Amino acid sequence: MKLQTIFCSLLYLLLAVFRATADEDSSSRSSIIFTTLGRSDYAFDIYTLPISDRPTTANEIKITDGESVNFNGHFPSLSSSFLSFLLRNQTLIQSPGPQDSRDPPPLQLIYVTERNGTSNIYYDAVYYDTRRNTRSRTALEQHGAEVSTRVQVPLLDLNEVNGGVISMKDKPILSGEYLIYVSTHENPGTPRTSWAAVYSTELKTGLTRRLTPYGVADFSPAVSPSGKYTAVASYGNKGWDGEVEMLSTDIYIFLTRDGTQRVKIVENGGWPCWVDESTLFFHRQSEEDDWISVYKVILPKTGLVSTESVSIQRVTPPGLHAFTPATSPGNNKFIAVATRRPTSSYRHIELFDLVKNKFIELTRFVSPKTHHLNPFISPDSSRVGYHKCRGGSTREDGNTQLLLENIKSPLPDISLFRFDGSFPSFSPKGDRIAFVEFPGVYVVNSDGSNRRQVYFKNAFSTVWDPVREAVVYTSGGPEFASESSEVDIISINADDVDGVSAVRRLTTNGKNNAFPSVSPDGKWIVFRSTRTGYKNLYIMDAEGGEGYGLHRLTEGPWSDTMCNWSPDGEWIAFASDRDNPGSGSFEMYLIHPNGTGLRKLIQSGSAGRANHPYFSPDGKSIVFTSDYGGISAEPISTPHQYQPYGEIFKIKLDGSDLKRLTQNSFEDGTPAWGPRFIRPVDVEEVKNEQCAFEDCHWLNEMPNQRDWGAALEPDKVQCGV
């Protein structure tokens, strides 16, 4: 009996230790949420139209799966032996069964896909049955009745290629048995330097080689028909200088096998594509008339290749923007381009007849009020592909979107989520999230339930009171407003939105007061204000507002903003342009609440940005958004992003352990760090939303318009070339 008692006591002790350890492990884990501009509405799929037929909804085929975010496609030319290699692994794919002789060959596609929280490159082959009305777009797209088999294979083992590093993939091309693509998995180690580089992976062996020199960034690769040369858009050694519209990149070519014999052939150009071994198309903004147009560069047959020895000709006329050109091997008849016409608010795919110098419209006849991006042409010149929102302006996947989209985290103790809303913040227990949808402030449970609007006017930024659990603070007024605009700090009782005192205004001076953050004891709010003409930091009473206590924390002719109070109360982090006031360059600083101890936490680099700091629950690290990783793709190839360089980073308070958490070509921002670990799985919400996005705002700027001649008039015969 005594022995049994001792055994039970030991067992109880072990269980107690286990529980304590488990609780300790659980408490050390946390979650970060952030916003990506417009990304929740993208729902991209890749489509194709035949070039020889009239462009109609009946002729348009959706190639990709209708589930993931799929874009930037390429029609490969595969040998039968290599196709057999791709289909070798029966655990990954379902090998196609016997095909009827009357069925067409499969549509084969290489493309970028974002799924399972990461970016990868996939191969798809879609076998479809022509005997059951393949021209029925509704059946083919929505019900899949004519798709007899879909073969889908990931082409890259991300652990093998990236060494386990999370990264963005872009612009893939299959050349023989080699996959050429952009990846961002290697850190150049210099602030405001792009991580984008071109790599080659031999798919049979997995052997990967970097083709871009270290210290240089390359974008938008294209491989010549023979596979010998690769062309890229690149800054070369001069580096990125903060551009967010048309990049001032140059065109370089080099040997595909190893990246050697690299030479610049064009100054000021992007998005190259080869028609033969000595001829490329590319886009640039004309210095003469400011229209974005397609140009052709011809390399010399003999002698050295350089910017002086090549011949450059303008291809598309002024009067509309034409960009992201595509061609096919030996095709001297036409190219495909994306266009923005002065008469249209939408980006469309058109052909340009190189013989007649005429445009031939395609997608406007299929989806006139939908943007279409980044065309590509099949090797036999019979099809053009592109990506757009699936279902046009109406989502085919119903009204379900992701409130929290799981993003694969590079840190095992932190789950990472893209949040469908702006300026999110966690409640003290981590079970609720406050956020902004212009206009208004909303609260939702972290499982996606009980979504409610708690403030109905325009506001930006949210933060919860750490003591009064239901109280949310926000900045009530116009976002991105001038110093003279009226913005006030507002407190909202999220559990009493129908009550008289649910909303209270804490600042009343008529100035621009914004970005509140509460001390851990709930007594004070730090915020930025323009009450002296400049944006400086102030601290006021959290319950009574500025009338019950106010003192100035920082002072100077600059902007101190986006402040956040540490959980232990010792520090306030904020962004400031004090090193170069008015430049748009912000760096991150720390200061004690009593005004002492001011220090810079991170050097952003010349003209760089580090914004929206937010402390970790233990107060030892800060998550923030920054352009530290430069730009990852040509902005014209993506939907509109105000700051396409925005990525999420974390850093310790001593300036060490800087880590990049997100990798994409979009604008990530306004991160928040929650007190509990959310399992890394998607959380759905039900919203009555359309699949839509904004095109690049700067494409709306049309240069001087006049009669540019007949070339701008599309060919009246809309059935190919």
Side-chain angles (χ1 to χ4, degrees):
M1 188 72 174
K2 196 172 194 181
L3 208 55
Q4 185 179 11
T5 303
I6 294 172
F7 175 77
C8 290
S9 299
L10 286 173
L11 183 61
Y12 179 84
L13 182 62
L14 285 172
L15 286 171
V17 170
F18 175 78
R19 288 195 187 101
T21 304
D23 288 343
E24 182 180 341
D25 289 343
S26 176
S27 65
S28 67
R29 305 176 78 192
S30 56
S31 297
I32 292 172
I33 56 177
F34 64 93
T35 298
T36 302
L37 179 67
R39 171 61 174 73
S40 299
D41 298 326
Y42 286 175
F44 287 151
D45 264 314
I46 296 177
Y47 292 74
T48 180
L49 280 168
I51 288 173
S52 60
D53 293 338
R54 252 177 213 283
T56 64
T57 56
N59 283 334
E60 186 183 58
I61 295 176
K62 182 176 68 182
I63 311 176
T64 44
D65 60 14
E67 298 176 3
S68 311
V69 176
N70 307 306
F71 56 97
N72 286 357
H74 162 70
F75 287 125
S77 179
L78 297 175
S79 66
S80 57
S81 61
F82 191 60
L83 180 60
S84 298
F85 167 76
L86 286 180
L87 305 183
R88 75 199 182 283
N89 192 339
Q90 300 302 314
T91 64
L92 285 178
I93 54 94
Q94 176 187 355
S95 183
Q99 300 294 300
D100 191 285
S101 60
R102 292 169 292 176
D103 291 341
L107 286 174
Q108 299 182 85
L109 182 71
I110 306 290
Y111 62 101
V112 180
T113 185
E114 293 184 358
R115 61 182 74 185
N116 304 321
T118 191
S119 171
N120 203 345
I121 297 169
Y122 269 57
Y123 163 82
D124 275 21
V126 177
Y127 295 80
Y128 56 98
D129 185 350
T130 58
R131 293 165 292 169
R132 288 183 292 175
N133 187 19
T134 55
R135 292 189 171 235
S136 169
R137 180 174 181 262
T138 303
L140 181 62
E141 285 197 330
Q142 297 182 0
H143 306 295
E146 281 75 24
V147 177
S148 58
T149 306
R150 174 183 296 280
V151 175
Q152 197 169 82
V153 183
L155 293 182
L156 295 176
D157 182 333
L158 298 183
N159 287 323
E160 184 177 301
V161 172
N162 300 352
V165 177
I166 310 301
S167 68
M168 183 198 87
K169 299 291 182 286
D170 196 24
K171 201 63 168 56
I173 309 107
L174 192 63
S175 178
E177 298 178 358
Y178 290 84
L179 185 68
I180 315 299
Y181 57 96
V182 172
S183 180
T184 59
H185 63 270
E186 291 188 288
N187 181 0
T190 304
R192 303 190 80 233
T193 299
S194 174
W195 296 25
V198 174
Y199 296 83
S200 168
T201 296
E202 185 179 12
L203 294 180
K204 283 190 174 181
T205 65
L207 179 65
T208 297
R209 180 192 296 270
R210 181 183 173 116
L211 302 181
T212 300
Y214 286 96
V216 172
D218 286 341
F219 312 100
S220 314
V223 179
S224 66
S226 71
K228 183 177 181 179
Y229 297 106
T230 293
V232 295
S234 179
Y235 284 107
N237 294 320
K238 63 185 178 183
W240 176 62
D241 66 357
E243 299 165 307
V244 296
E245 295 181 1
M246 285 298 291
L247 303 185
S248 58
T249 51
D250 303 320
I251 305 295
Y252 288 77
I253 63 171
F254 49 78
L255 291 179
T256 305
R257 70 169 183 263
D258 57 10
T260 61
Q261 299 186 27
R262 183 182 176 102
V263 61
K264 180 166 66 174
I265 61 169
V266 172
E267 291 185 346
N268 182 20
W271 205 267
C273 61
W274 299 80
V275 65
D276 56 45
E277 295 301 300
S278 61
T279 309
L280 300 92
F281 294 94
F282 63 95
H283 64 215
R284 69 157 54 140
Q285 188 164 19
S286 168
E287 295 180 357
E288 291 78 26
D289 51 49
D290 289 331
W291 291 99
I292 303 169
S293 297
V294 174
Y295 291 75
K296 178 170 67 174
V297 57
I298 302 174
L299 310 182
K301 299 292 184 183
T302 59
L304 293 176
V305 177
S306 69
T307 54
E308 288 77 28
S309 65
V310 301
S311 170
I312 298 178
Q313 306 166 13
R314 187 172 189 165
V315 175
T316 59
L320 82 173
H321 293 312
F323 45 93
T324 57
T327 185
S328 51
N331 179 2
N332 294 308
K333 294 181 179 180
F334 63 89
I335 58 174
V337 295
T339 65
R340 278 295 304 274
R341 290 177 172 268
T343 54
S344 174
S345 299
Y346 294 91
R347 182 188 301 208
H348 282 294
I349 306 303
E350 303 188 30
L351 301 181
F352 186 75
D353 190 318
L354 298 170
V355 179
K356 298 179 181 179
N357 289 328
K358 296 281 287 186
F359 284 98
I360 301 170
E361 294 186 285
L362 295 178
T363 58
R364 187 176 68 83
F365 296 98
V366 180
S367 306
K369 294 186 177 181
T370 301
H371 295 297
H372 303 73
L373 287 79
N374 305 350
F376 54 100
I377 299 176
S378 61
D380 63 0
S381 305
S382 66
R383 286 192 167 275
V384 61
Y386 46 87
H387 64 270
K388 66 173 183 176
C389 278
R390 45 182 166 264
S393 62
T394 304
R395 293 180 68 103
E396 290 177 0
D397 47 3
N399 294 329
T400 298
Q401 287 186 240
L402 296 180
L403 175 72
L404 293 168
E405 180 187 357
N406 169 48
I407 303 298
K408 191 172 182 182
S409 173
L411 304 173
D413 290 334
I414 299 174
S415 59
L416 188 63
F417 293 91
R418 177 179 287 124
F419 183 81
D420 184 20
S422 299
F423 297 99
S425 64
F426 283 103
S427 63
K429 294 180 180 178
D431 57 342
R432 292 197 285 181
I433 300 171
F435 64 98
V436 168
E437 278 193 359
F438 302 106
V441 176
Y442 293 76
V443 171
V444 66
N445 293 344
S446 58
D447 64 2
S449 64
N450 198 25
R451 184 180 191 270
R452 297 179 296 117
Q453 187 169 6
V454 297
Y455 184 69
F456 293 85
K457 297 180 180 180
N458 201 71
F460 61 97
S461 81
T462 66
V463 65
W464 293 77
D465 191 301
V467 176
R468 294 169 287 277
E469 291 186 5
V471 175
V472 176
Y473 300 91
T474 188
S475 312
E479 72 275 15
F480 301 113
S482 65
E483 282 83 351
S484 60
S485 299
E486 183 175 358
V487 179
D488 284 307
I489 306 300
I490 304 291
S491 72
I492 306 162
N493 187 330
D495 290 343
D496 186 29
V497 292
D498 297 325
V500 176
S501 60
V503 177
R504 298 176 60 236
R505 190 167 62 158
L506 301 181
T507 55
T508 57
N509 64 348
K511 302 298 183 181
N512 192 326
N513 308 285
F515 294 107
S517 183
V518 192
S519 61
D521 60 7
K523 294 181 178 180
W524 304 100
I525 292 175
V526 62
F527 64 103
R528 72 110 169 102
S529 177
T530 62
R531 59 191 60 215
T532 59
Y534 299 101
K535 293 179 179 178
N536 292 154
L537 301 186
Y538 293 78
I539 294 177
M540 68 175 174
D541 186 276
E543 287 195 83
E546 63 180 342
Y548 285 73
L550 175 76
H551 73 269
R552 189 169 185 167
L553 181 61
T554 65
E555 182 175 1
W558 49 68
S559 291
D560 296 334
T561 186
M562 305 174 193
C563 39
N564 188 252
W565 211 313
S566 67
D568 61 5
E570 287 295 310
W571 292 103
I572 291 170
F574 63 97
S576 177
D577 69 351
R578 57 180 56 209
D579 277 1
N580 191 2
S583 66
S585 174
F586 283 83
E587 296 182 302
M588 203 157 57
Y589 289 80
L590 292 171
I591 191 172
H592 290 304
N594 63 6
T596 64
L598 177 71
R599 63 183 174 90
K600 186 187 296 186
L601 182 58
I602 185 171
Q603 180 72 35
S604 300
S606 175
R609 295 189 179 191
N611 292 331
H612 298 290
Y614 202 105
F615 279 94
S616 61
D618 63 8
K620 297 178 180 179
S621 298
I622 289 176
V623 63
F624 62 102
T625 184
S626 177
D627 65 353
Y628 188 95
I631 207 161
S632 298
E634 292 192 55
I636 201 170
S637 68
T638 70
H640 180 71
Q641 308 290 321
Y642 290 100
Q643 301 173 76
Y645 47 73
E647 301 285 356
I648 307 300
F649 291 79
K650 70 165 283 289
I651 193 171
K652 289 185 176 178
L653 260 59
D654 61 3
S656 66
D657 198 31
L658 177 67
K659 282 188 168 53
R660 181 174 178 172
L661 302 185
T662 62
Q663 304 259 5
N664 56 63
S665 59
F666 312 132
E667 179 185 348
D668 296 335
T670 62
W673 206 325
R676 67 187 184 95
F677 184 79
I678 302 175
R679 288 196 315 117
V681 294
D682 293 340
V683 176
E684 291 186 348
E685 61 178 336
V686 176
K687 289 178 65 178
N688 187 19
E689 291 285 336
Q690 293 183 329
C691 173
F693 58 89
E694 296 182 53
D695 200 7
C696 300
H697 286 185
W698 38 277
L699 289 176
N700 297 328
E701 300 171 6
M702 300 293 173
N704 233 353
Q705 297 181 39
R706 62 177 188 266
D707 184 6
W708 294 101
L712 295 188
E713 293 299 322
D715 198 316
K716 295 185 184 301
V717 181
Q718 302 293 339
C719 55
V721 292

